[in-house]
Amino acid sequence: MAARNKARKRAFQILFEADQRGASVQEVLADWIRHSRSDDRQPPVGEFTMELVEGYAEHAARIDELIATHAVGWTLDRMPVVDRNILRLGTYELVWGDDTPDAVVIDEAVQLAKEFSTDDSPSFVNGLLGRFKELKPTLRDA
């Protein structure tokens, strides 16, 4: 598995854990870093994982607003927790991350949905992130 793919998966797991615990993503990220330094069995938290988690945290309110606005028929609270956090990560990287092609960001998010969520989730994630890709020039600064 490619390093960036692993980093995205770890970032997703951190966002998911924070959501489940009702904790801040920064708090969970700090826990993961602390555990990786004190337990050799824990994989290190790489720079790209930290960049994704911290980037999401910086834009969390706007990202949740975008998802809630464009997820037709779904409120953020009613959305499956896995899907919500895959979309949060993918939206951050798609709209604010400039170093990964949009198609790669969407594909990686769809792969996470295939691995961790329901049969309907990959198409839901693909559709919503595809919409954000179309709207990208208007989303960042709004």
Side-chain angles (χ1 to χ4, degrees), residues 44-132:
V45 178
E47 289 294 321
F48 189 56
T49 298
M50 288 188 277
E51 177 186 320
L52 291 171
V53 172
E54 291 167 351
Y56 162 73
E58 181 179 342
H59 301 284
R62 177 69 176 138
I63 289 168
D64 282 358
E65 175 189 334
L66 289 171
I67 295 169
T69 300
H70 294 279
V72 178
W74 288 96
T75 62
L76 208 55
D77 291 341
R78 208 177 121 244
M79 192 177 293
V81 178
V82 170
D83 296 0
R84 178 171 58 231
N85 287 288
I86 291 170
L87 286 167
R88 285 172 168 166
L89 181 62
T91 301
Y92 163 71
E93 194 174 5
L94 187 66
V95 176
W96 286 274
D98 293 323
D99 60 339
T100 305
D102 293 347
V104 172
V105 172
I106 294 170
D107 185 60
E108 292 279 335
V110 168
Q111 291 306 315
L112 285 171
K114 285 179 181 178
E115 184 173 349
F116 293 105
S117 199
T118 69
D119 290 342
D120 295 331
S121 295
S123 61
F124 175 64
V125 167
N126 186 61
L128 193 52
L129 292 179
R131 180 74 176 131
F132 291 161

Side-chain angles (χ1 to χ4, degrees), residues 3-15 24-37 43-59 63 88-89 92-93 96-97 99:
R4 291 182 79 115
N5 181 282
K6 285 182 184 178
R8 279 185 192 89
K9 187 181 285 189
R10 286 190 186 109
F12 157 70
Q13 291 169 325
I14 290 168
L15 267 61
S24 74
V25 292
Q26 296 96 329
E27 179 184 338
V28 175
L29 176 61
D31 289 347
W32 275 55
I33 292 169
R34 190 170 35 260
H35 288 127
S36 71
R37 290 181 181 158
V45 178
E47 289 294 321
F48 189 56
T49 298
M50 288 188 277
E51 177 186 320
L52 291 171
V53 172
E54 291 167 351
Y56 162 73
E58 181 179 342
H59 301 284
I63 289 168
R88 285 172 168 166
L89 181 62
Y92 163 71
E93 194 174 5
W96 286 274
D99 60 339

